[in-house]
Amino acid sequence: MPRVADRKSWRKPAAPPVEAPQTPPEAAPRSHYHTSQHHGHHHDPDPALDVELVDHTERLPLRSKRTRRLEEKLARKKRTATTPLCLEDMPFEILDAILLCCQPRDLFAMSRVSKGYRDFIKQEGSRIAKSIIERRYPCLAACFLRPVLLENIQDLGVRRHMGHPKVTSRVKGHMFHHIPTIRGELVCSCPTCYHRWNALGLLVDFAHWQDFLDKGEAIPRIAFGRRPVWNKVLLNRNMQVVLKGIRDPLWYARILEKHLESTTRAIRRQVLNKSNKRQHYRLTDQDLQEGTDHFLEAEGPPTIDYPFHRDSYYMLEAYLPNRSWIDGKWVYLPASLHERDVAGLINSLFPVPGKEEAEG
């Protein structure tokens, strides 16, 4: 019997193993370059080139004189729009020349613009005001000198004598309805300073009633011995203005400016007044535009009458005391009268014992 071979050898050979179909990996998004065709054939994806493109192009810098000038112009516009100009940005010489051409009221308006302007006017206002007075109001400044403050008297003995009740009590009885009483404890009470005080007080009061005079309205009259409240308030306001004018040259220049305005308005009223046959000052439109008192240096009617009350305002044309027309020019009273009056007042009220006997 033939030998039967091993069963394992007679088995049908096993089929080769079937591999599972491989799924292609998820394709990355292709760029436009990969999807394009070249000569009608598709390119196979290249892993090295299969990345997203980034635009690294930059603007080329422009280098030319025209471009540089344009950039500088734009920078100046931006700097001007963002940084406001102030006094420090202007040369001092130019600013000083501009302010000297202004009027005192312009400087007061300038000081209310900002803190920087106010500090500048407070620091340089006195010097500028003195220059403005020399340029615009030399005639008025010579007619209306300021009284001397007691604190400005250098001699302590003279200051003590002028503040004594014997001196200050001499002027308390001199009361006017239109002029504030002199402050003897602050201002020198010698005859010269007393008349200077009254002159400045008259200027401030005369300027207050100009609108009434232009309109032809009657100024309220005050009966003798009466002191209405409205007049007390007005005199107190005028006194404060006079004190400021004595202390501050800028306020003094403002008082002279107002009196020049009052004088020009009074001259124009009196020229139109047919019943007034007196000589008038020659006033032109150019004089009004210049804003100076140079036309008052010409020959004109002298100031003889003193306005003791407000009724004199109706015919008052140019109140310019302390000067006389001599030899074809105006001659003004000297400022040294103050020292002479102070010395005479002290010698009369505070005589030195034994001095008269020695002189005799």
Side-chain angles (χ1 to χ4, degrees), residues 26-304:
E26 186 178 356
R30 298 185 179 182
S31 62
H32 178 72
Y33 175 80
H34 293 145
T35 58
S36 62
Q37 296 182 0
H38 180 68
H39 297 288
H41 299 283
H42 293 281
H43 291 278
D44 294 334
D46 189 353
L49 299 177
D50 196 6
V51 294
E52 185 178 359
L53 297 180
V54 180
D55 188 6
H56 291 285
T57 58
E58 296 181 357
R59 184 179 180 181
L60 295 178
L62 301 178
R63 300 181 183 276
S64 65
K65 294 183 179 179
R66 180 179 180 182
T67 304
R68 186 174 64 255
R69 290 194 298 266
L70 181 60
E71 291 177 352
E72 293 176 356
K73 183 177 180 180
L74 294 177
R76 287 195 301 268
K77 287 184 178 180
K78 184 177 180 181
R79 183 171 59 253
T80 304
T82 56
T83 305
L85 297 178
C86 55
L87 291 176
E88 289 77 8
D89 298 331
M90 184 177 296
F92 181 79
E93 293 78 6
I94 298 178
L95 179 62
D96 189 64
I98 294 175
L99 294 180
L100 291 180
C101 297
C102 297
Q103 296 184 359
R105 64 170 179 268
D106 300 327
L107 299 182
F108 279 97
M110 179 180 175
S111 64
R112 293 191 291 269
V113 172
S114 64
K115 185 178 182 299
Y117 283 87
R118 184 174 66 252
D119 295 340
F120 178 81
I121 295 299
K122 185 177 180 180
Q123 180 180 0
E124 301 290 339
S126 299
R127 181 187 60 82
I128 297 175
K130 292 178 181 179
S131 300
I132 292 177
I133 291 174
E134 294 177 358
R135 179 176 178 270
R136 289 182 174 272
Y137 318 114
C139 177
L140 295 179
C143 293
F144 302 98
L145 298 176
R146 292 184 292 174
V148 180
L149 293 171
L150 292 181
E151 60 187 27
N152 294 336
I153 299 178
Q154 301 297 330
D155 193 334
L156 297 180
V158 174
R159 183 191 306 177
R160 183 175 62 255
H161 287 318
M162 296 308 297
H164 196 274
K166 286 185 178 180
V167 179
T168 58
S169 60
R170 295 174 59 256
V171 295
K172 288 185 178 180
H174 296 256
M175 301 294 295
F176 295 97
H177 288 302
H178 61 308
I179 300 176
T181 305
I182 187 173
R183 296 287 299 275
E185 70 278 9
L186 299 176
V187 184
C188 176
S189 302
C190 71
T192 298
C193 292
Y194 171 74
H195 289 293
R196 292 177 181 178
W197 171 278
N198 290 344
L200 291 179
L202 181 63
L203 300 190
V204 180
D205 190 74
F206 185 49
H208 175 76
W209 299 102
Q210 287 302 308
D211 292 339
F212 282 76
L213 298 174
D214 287 341
K215 298 177 183 178
E217 299 180 0
I219 299 176
R221 300 189 63 180
I222 301 175
F224 181 77
R226 300 286 184 179
R227 296 180 181 179
V229 177
W230 65 267
N231 194 58
K232 291 182 180 180
V233 174
L234 179 59
L235 290 181
N236 183 65
R237 184 188 69 86
N238 294 347
M239 179 185 63
Q240 298 299 327
V241 173
V242 173
L243 287 176
K244 291 179 181 179
I246 298 174
R247 296 180 181 275
D248 190 356
L250 184 57
W251 276 91
Y252 176 56
R254 177 58 176 160
I255 294 176
L256 298 182
E257 179 190 10
K258 290 296 295 183
H259 186 58
L260 178 62
E261 180 183 350
S262 302
T263 302
T264 55
R265 295 169 70 174
I267 291 175
R268 301 183 73 175
R269 284 196 306 267
Q270 298 305 324
V271 169
L272 298 177
N273 186 4
K274 302 301 181 181
S275 61
N276 189 354
K277 303 299 182 181
R278 296 180 300 180
Q279 182 185 3
H280 306 290
Y281 282 94
R282 185 176 181 273
L283 179 63
T284 62
D285 294 337
Q286 183 179 358
D287 297 330
L288 294 175
Q289 295 177 359
E290 291 179 355
T292 63
D293 62 358
H294 297 163
F295 70 95
L296 296 176
E297 296 177 356
E299 184 179 4
T303 300
I304 300 177

